[in-house]
Amino acid sequence: MRRKKGNRRRTASLRAVFPRATVAAAPPPGRGRVRRTARAGTVFVVGTVGVGLLAGLILAPAAMAAGLGAIRGTDLWDAIPVEVPFDAPLPQRSVMVDRNGEVFATLFAEDRIPVTREQLSPLFVDALLATEDARFYEHNGVDVLGTGRALLNNALGGDRQGASTITQQWVKNLTQAAAETEAERDAADDVSINRKITEARAAAAAEAQLSKDEILTRYVNTAFYGAGAYGIGAAAARYYSTTPENLTLNQAAMLAGVLNSPGLFDPLVNPEAAKERRDQVLDRMVEEGFTDAATATATKELPLELAPSVPPNGCALSTYPVYCQWVKESITNDPSFGPTPEARADLLYRGGLRIETPLDPQVQAAAQSAAEAALEATNRVAAGIAVIQPGTGQVLALATNRPWGSDEAAGQTEVLYPVLPNFQPGSTFKPITLAAAVEGGFSTKTVWNAPERYIPANLNYPDGGFANADDGPGGLLTAEQATWRSVNTYYVWLIEQTGVLKTAEMAQRLGMDSISTEGGPEPVGPRDASLTLGDFNTSPLQVANVYATFASGGVKCNPIGVTALIRDGSEQLPVASADCTQVLDPAVAATINTVLQNNVDGSDPLRTAQGGSIGRPVIGKTGTAGDFAAAWFAGATPQMATAVWMGDPRGGVANPMVDVVAFGQFYKEMYGGQAPAQLWQQTMAAAHEGRPVAQFPPGNKPSLPSVLVPNVVGMPLDSALGALNEAGFTVQISPDTAVAAQQLPPDYVVAMDPVPGTPRKSGTPVMLTLSPGSRTDVQLRQ
């Protein structure tokens, strides 16, 4: 009697959970069909759209198993939709590599190192099967008896049980990984009857499509192992600093045991619980015949033997934090890498990218060493160094004397001084004025009597007029001498003759993008004579790019920090082009280079740049911003152009370069020819070790073809068509769109052939590849 009464209580409990489960009548028309199982009277109502299935009266685990098994292979089973993305890419690490292919930064939202089946230790596979799914290679994705037992327990309010096969666990992991909202994540974690049957159906579908080894490998790559490690590759590295193929039995058993509850069995947090769980796994291995009792007993006597390692996630922990941060910001701010900042960040941190950069370790080490030798981290003065390759735009190095971090008291910084357009370049700007004048027919041999102070007739000027450094004399000087001696009044007169706006346009053309005559925080006006003295803000990278344009014979390139972007090991994503263009006549560039070479290694004893000599052809110019707001040295060889800024990041006007210590020497007032020149010289000397001596291009160097293919990657098709037609090119559309993984809306340009920056004759066709979902049969009006 008691047993019968107990059965009634169990039935009542199930009625409370599934109030409609015992209804045997047919459902309303169009709502589904009824199937009563022979063994337990279980009723499943399966809707024609969606899962729509409810569990009915369950009296025993075996009955549930029979119920589940009964619908398999029927139209009810087939009606359950499978919406699990079996081939969806998993979040993976992205890495940045230098020009030699060495990884210097790792970025990830989930620490995962994918492995192949061949890379799995047999010991780990045995431990995994013993504890998670001993019949994995026998069943077809669903353990109906285990599933029935778990469903009954959950329905009766017991501890939540999964009792899933490895295939079902993998399906659940995929569903969780694909969830984008909290509600979707909660649904993926549900252990209700509907969810379990849906997972079972998906597992069966997976087994029909994939081999057992493929499923096993995908499972161990998706599973969470605690301590931030996703996948066995990351877990082996995190806990043991090893790889999956080299796991010992002790290590394999521990890692297999963690899967049951990563939070509870994390050996770094709960070593005793992890050891106990490891021993349980070893016992299971004996029970299932994967090892013998003696081996298991001996292994239990061992400590966990952890050798943890922390993956260096993010730029702060990278080898080159400043360069890493600049590249990261370049990607997240560039719409060609995704339509929104969120999409671009997702690509960067979850996309498994190999980000190939032009960073040169030798050059970077030279710049970093020189910066640290010049200024201690806690010095109130900071340094920013940028090195760029003439003719390619490739940024070889970015450095500062301050370590990366937020502890300002320790001298740390999270400001990108080498690329921050917030510093007045001083007299490093003067060669730009000279280039604009020479282009207009001015001779560098022109003599003018430069006074100590000068007031231009039609331009703005400070009280008392413009003065030379220390109110020094000028006298009868050629433009060459005025450059070597950095005579301010001569250059104010020169910009007066040349035109302020023409000079500003030359600065833009040569690569100083922060100079603008329209809009911006401080647009240059037609009366702003102080432009020639560098009284407008720019960055070390932009100054370096100007000198790279001179050094390359007048070819200006956009600075680039990414040379290739590869996803999943093979898919080549589009990257920004350097868009190299002949912006200055080679003869004009050669004239400027001759003047600047003599500024370093010439015969004038008053030349300001002689501290930059490195025993090979170089061009160079000092810069001291007004009122000692900053001190600079900029110059180049044919192989690399470098700009050095030194100043107080709190603001140079309020905190000028006076009473400064650099290279262990005290400076009452610092000029560009002093510590900045020494820093530049040390950087360039070390950076050029082992490199051949090169000569600057002659004045008769052939110019680049005047028509270069513009970069339209990331543009809407109509905008791209307009830009290419305006440049003189015709357009063709590739019949195939890009792969579905590309994160751009339809009708956007993903790739182009020839690549941007390629010189081509006008009228050459350019083939565009459009984003997924784009129409490729559009009629183009050209």
Side-chain angles (χ1 to χ4, degrees):
M1 291 295 294
R2 289 181 183 175
R3 185 174 182 180
K4 186 175 183 181
K5 185 177 181 180
N7 284 342
R8 283 200 301 268
R9 283 198 298 268
R10 176 175 293 181
T11 302
S13 174
L14 289 174
R15 285 180 185 275
V17 178
F18 305 112
R20 295 173 55 191
T22 57
V23 178
R31 298 291 295 275
R33 292 170 289 178
V34 175
R35 178 180 180 88
R36 183 186 302 274
T37 64
R39 294 191 181 183
T42 305
V43 178
F44 293 89
V45 181
V46 183
T48 56
V49 178
V51 177
L53 95 70
L54 297 173
L57 183 62
I58 309 172
L59 297 180
M64 181 61 210
L68 180 61
I71 67 167
R72 294 184 60 182
T74 69
D75 52 357
L76 297 179
W77 181 254
D78 295 337
I80 301 173
V82 176
E83 299 177 347
V84 179
F86 296 142
D87 293 320
L90 292 171
Q92 294 184 36
R93 290 178 172 186
S94 291
V95 297
M96 293 184 194
V97 301
D98 62 28
R99 69 191 305 110
N100 298 329
E102 295 295 323
V103 174
F104 68 85
T106 306
L107 307 171
F108 56 83
E110 293 183 3
D111 182 24
R112 178 177 282 106
I113 307 173
V115 298
T116 64
R117 179 63 176 86
E118 292 72 26
Q119 292 174 305
L120 294 177
S121 161
L123 293 172
F124 173 74
V125 173
D126 290 348
L128 177 70
L129 295 178
T131 190
E132 293 292 325
D133 191 354
R135 292 188 296 277
F136 172 72
Y137 281 98
E138 301 168 10
H139 62 63
N140 56 4
V142 181
D143 183 348
V144 293
L145 185 59
T147 300
R149 183 183 302 110
L151 292 176
L152 177 62
N153 178 81
N154 296 339
L156 294 178
D159 293 338
R160 284 159 55 98
Q161 293 182 6
S164 299
T165 65
I166 282 176
T167 311
Q168 288 173 283
Q169 292 180 54
W170 173 58
V171 165
K172 183 173 183 176
N173 290 344
L174 287 181
T175 306
Q176 290 173 329
E180 297 181 354
T181 66
E182 196 63 37
E184 290 177 345
R185 282 186 282 272
D186 290 342
D189 199 40
D190 183 19
V191 292
S192 67
I193 292 176
N194 274 1
R195 170 61 62 180
K196 280 298 172 185
I197 295 178
T198 301
E199 286 180 1
R201 176 67 183 93
E207 297 255 354
Q209 297 179 32
L210 303 169
S211 70
K212 286 288 188 178
D213 280 349
E214 286 177 304
I215 292 171
L216 179 70
T217 304
R218 295 188 184 198
Y219 169 67
V220 299
N221 279 327
T222 62
F224 180 56
Y225 292 77
Y230 290 82
I232 185 61
R238 180 70 181 92
Y239 294 121
Y240 293 110
S241 300
T242 189
T243 55
E245 63 262 42
N246 293 320
L247 291 172
T248 65
L249 177 59
N250 184 17
Q251 296 167 341
M254 196 287 292
L255 289 173
V258 165
L259 286 169
N260 181 263
S261 180
L264 178 61
F265 300 126
D266 182 341
L268 302 177
V269 179
N270 301 309
E272 291 303 318
K275 188 173 184 297
E276 182 178 346
R277 177 61 179 164
R278 178 206 64 182
D279 294 348
Q280 293 173 355
V281 173
L282 290 168
D283 290 339
R284 287 290 300 157
M285 293 181 73
V286 173
E287 292 173 13
E288 296 296 337
F290 289 112
T291 191
D292 57 76
T295 301
T297 299
T299 305
K300 289 180 184 180
E301 297 299 320
L302 299 174
L304 292 178
E305 296 178 329
L306 299 175
S309 62
V310 179
N313 184 21
C315 291
L317 298 177
S318 68
T319 309
Y320 312 117
V322 173
Y323 199 102
C324 172
Q325 185 70 18
W326 175 64
V327 170
K328 188 183 83 169
E329 291 182 4
S330 298
I331 292 175
T332 55
N333 293 331
D334 187 345
S336 65
F337 295 114
T340 65
E342 294 75 18
R344 297 190 286 272
D346 189 70
L347 173 68
L348 187 61
Y349 281 94
R350 302 168 70 90
L353 302 177
R354 177 183 170 88
I355 304 165
E356 298 184 358
T357 76
L359 183 146
D360 188 314
Q362 178 183 345
V363 179
Q364 180 68 40
Q368 191 62 48
S369 177
E372 292 174 359
L375 300 167
E376 294 183 355
T378 54
N379 195 317
R380 73 170 179 89
V381 173
I385 307 172
V387 187
I388 192 168
Q389 187 177 66
T392 68
Q394 295 184 4
V395 177
L396 305 181
L398 298 172
T400 179
N401 63 302
R402 299 187 175 183
W404 191 261
S406 58
D407 188 349
E408 294 183 6
Q412 296 180 348
T413 185
E414 291 181 340
V415 179
L416 300 177
Y417 299 130
V419 300
L420 183 67
N422 204 34
F423 311 120
Q424 295 179 2
S427 294
T428 60
F429 190 95
K430 287 175 179 172
I432 299 174
T433 305
L434 185 60
V438 171
E439 187 178 61
F442 180 81
S443 170
T444 61
K445 304 295 184 182
T446 301
V447 176
W448 185 67
N449 190 8
E452 294 180 8
R453 287 183 174 268
Y454 179 68
I455 297 177
N458 298 306
L459 303 180
N460 297 331
Y461 56 88
D463 291 341
F466 290 97
N468 295 322
D470 294 330
D471 291 331
L476 288 171
L477 301 170
T478 65
E480 295 171 317
Q481 292 171 313
T483 304
W484 302 335
R485 302 176 188 183
S486 202
V487 179
N488 291 343
T489 55
Y490 189 106
Y491 266 88
V492 172
W493 171 78
L494 185 58
I495 198 173
E496 185 180 26
Q497 308 307 307
T498 305
V500 173
L501 296 185
K502 181 179 179 181
T503 302
E505 185 274 332
M506 175 62 73
Q508 292 174 319
R509 217 193 315 162
L510 295 176
M512 195 169 283
D513 298 331
S514 58
I515 300 298
S516 172
T517 56
E518 297 180 2
E522 47 177 3
V524 177
R527 295 173 55 85
D528 289 330
S530 62
L531 175 67
T532 194
L533 305 182
D535 279 356
F536 287 76
N537 287 341
T538 187
S539 69
L541 182 60
Q542 291 185 30
V543 173
N545 202 28
V546 169
Y547 283 74
T549 302
F550 289 142
S552 62
V555 176
K556 178 256 181 179
C557 305
N558 295 329
I560 56 171
V562 179
T563 54
L565 203 60
I566 303 169
R567 178 162 49 191
D568 293 336
S570 59
E571 182 188 358
Q572 194 95 18
L573 301 183
V575 298
S577 166
D579 257 343
C580 295
T581 309
Q582 188 80 46
V583 298
L584 192 64
D585 188 286
V588 175
T591 298
I592 304 303
N593 288 339
T594 298
V595 174
L596 295 181
Q597 277 185 270
N598 285 323
N599 192 27
V600 179
D601 292 308
S603 58
D604 190 332
L606 299 180
R607 67 191 189 279
T608 57
Q610 54 190 291
S613 182
I614 61 172
R616 63 174 66 213
V618 298
I619 60 175
K621 182 69 186 75
T622 58
T624 306
D627 297 321
F628 298 97
W632 293 72
F633 195 99
T637 66
Q639 292 106 319
M640 59 188 78
T642 298
V644 169
W645 161 85
M646 294 178 70
D648 193 315
R650 297 171 298 176
V653 175
N655 304 277
M657 295 288 285
V658 296
D659 300 330
V660 173
V661 175
F663 288 106
Q665 181 177 347
F666 175 79
Y667 293 91
K668 183 64 179 176
E669 296 172 333
M670 182 175 286
Y671 293 89
Q674 295 170 331
Q678 186 176 353
L679 202 168
W680 187 94
Q681 193 275 343
Q682 289 189 9
T683 297
M684 293 291 272
H688 282 81
E689 285 184 4
R691 300 176 193 262
V693 174
Q695 303 296 324
F696 288 100
N700 60 357
K701 177 188 83 76
S703 297
L704 286 181
S706 58
V707 182
L708 301 178
V709 179
N711 185 8
V712 298
V713 172
M715 289 186 183
L717 177 58
D718 53 352
S719 299
L721 182 62
L724 289 168
N725 288 165
E726 184 177 350
F729 297 99
T730 60
V731 177
Q732 299 174 348
I733 304 296
S734 170
D736 299 319
T737 59
V739 295
Q742 293 285 355
Q743 298 179 334
L744 282 174
D747 300 320
Y748 273 70
V749 178
V750 170
M752 51 192 298
D753 183 25
V755 297
T758 304
R760 286 290 186 270
K761 293 183 179 179
S762 181
T764 300
V766 176
M767 179 73 73
L768 302 180
T769 301
L770 302 182
S771 50
S774 302
R775 287 189 57 189
T776 59
D777 58 349
V778 293
Q779 297 296 316
L780 301 179
R781 296 181 180 180
Q782 306 186 72

